[in-house]
Amino acid sequence: MDSHGQNEQQVVWAVVGTGIGPLLLAATRAGLVNVVFHATDPVRDKALDRLASRLGSEPVEAPGSPLLAEPIHQVEAYFAGRRRDFELPLDWSLISGFNRQVLRELAAGVPYGSVVGYGDLAGRVGQPGAAQAVGVAMGSNPLPVVVPCHRVVESDGGIGGFGGGLETKRKLLALEGVLPEPLF
């Protein structure tokens, strides 16, 4: 409890180098709460301000924190090709409603090396015809890579959009063997 008798949310973060560039990982006592692509200084600072605003606590850089040890280990193993599934507690507090429902289904039901269409994912959560809303949910995913929104593609075979950029999506799908590695 803080000096006002409130439970203060502890938020710790670190930046991890990966094959797709630096990722910011942030965690609370409940679990991994945020993953941010392209975590250069300006992107990182904006993400940390947003986290502080949303969670009511100033995030603290703590790469050695026990709250981050396993997320860092698993992310590094994933990019090294030694891990296919993330087994981490997740803090879903940054997302709610339909978006949370879709992301939970994605995390549980679309394994490494496979893809799903936006419409198919909508059907899995009982909302056939809500493909566009699934796209919005993917764009609001606070836990990309760990909750694999890169595995959601267009039904006509197109790659679809991606908050981390299409080159990043292609690299993630290539890492998982869905797409060939880019030649250059």
Side-chain angles (χ1 to χ4, degrees):
M1 294 217 172
D2 66 16
S3 60
H4 302 288
Q6 301 292 316
N7 286 322
E8 189 172 300
Q9 173 89 306
Q10 179 186 13
V11 184
V12 294
W13 66 273
V15 173
V16 178
T18 73
I20 58 167
L23 291 180
L24 180 142
L25 304 180
T28 66
R29 287 182 184 95
L32 189 66
V33 71
N34 203 198
V35 176
V36 179
F37 290 115
H38 315 299
T40 58
D41 291 351
V43 170
R44 180 200 67 212
D45 292 347
K46 184 176 177 183
L48 293 172
D49 287 346
R50 191 171 52 247
L51 274 173
S53 171
R54 297 279 309 277
L55 298 176
S57 178
E58 198 64 39
V60 175
E61 184 174 15
S65 169
L67 299 177
L68 288 169
E70 194 58 25
I72 289 170
H73 172 74
Q74 289 191 26
V75 164
E76 289 174 341
Y78 170 81
F79 282 101
R82 296 187 315 268
R83 174 172 281 281
R84 292 177 164 229
D85 302 306
F86 291 96
E87 298 171 9
L88 296 168
L90 301 177
D91 179 339
W92 293 95
S93 63
L94 294 178
I95 196 152
S96 61
F98 176 79
N99 292 354
R100 183 189 291 190
Q101 181 184 11
V102 168
L103 291 171
R104 282 181 179 263
E105 173 58 32
L106 173 65
V110 183
Y112 182 97
S114 65
V115 294
V116 66
Y118 292 93
D120 293 336
L121 192 53
R124 288 186 188 192
V125 296
Q127 298 291 327
Q132 195 169 8
V134 167
V136 171
M138 296 305 104
S140 65
N141 182 4
L143 295 160
V145 180
V146 175
V147 176
C149 53
H150 60 277
R151 297 180 190 154
V152 183
V153 297
E154 296 174 347
S155 59
D156 65 2
I159 195 167
F162 195 62
L166 292 182
E167 180 181 339
T168 300
K169 185 171 187 172
R170 284 187 188 96
K171 286 181 178 179
L172 289 166
L173 290 172
L175 173 71
E176 295 188 8
V178 176
L179 291 177
E181 287 285 345
L183 296 175
F184 48 90

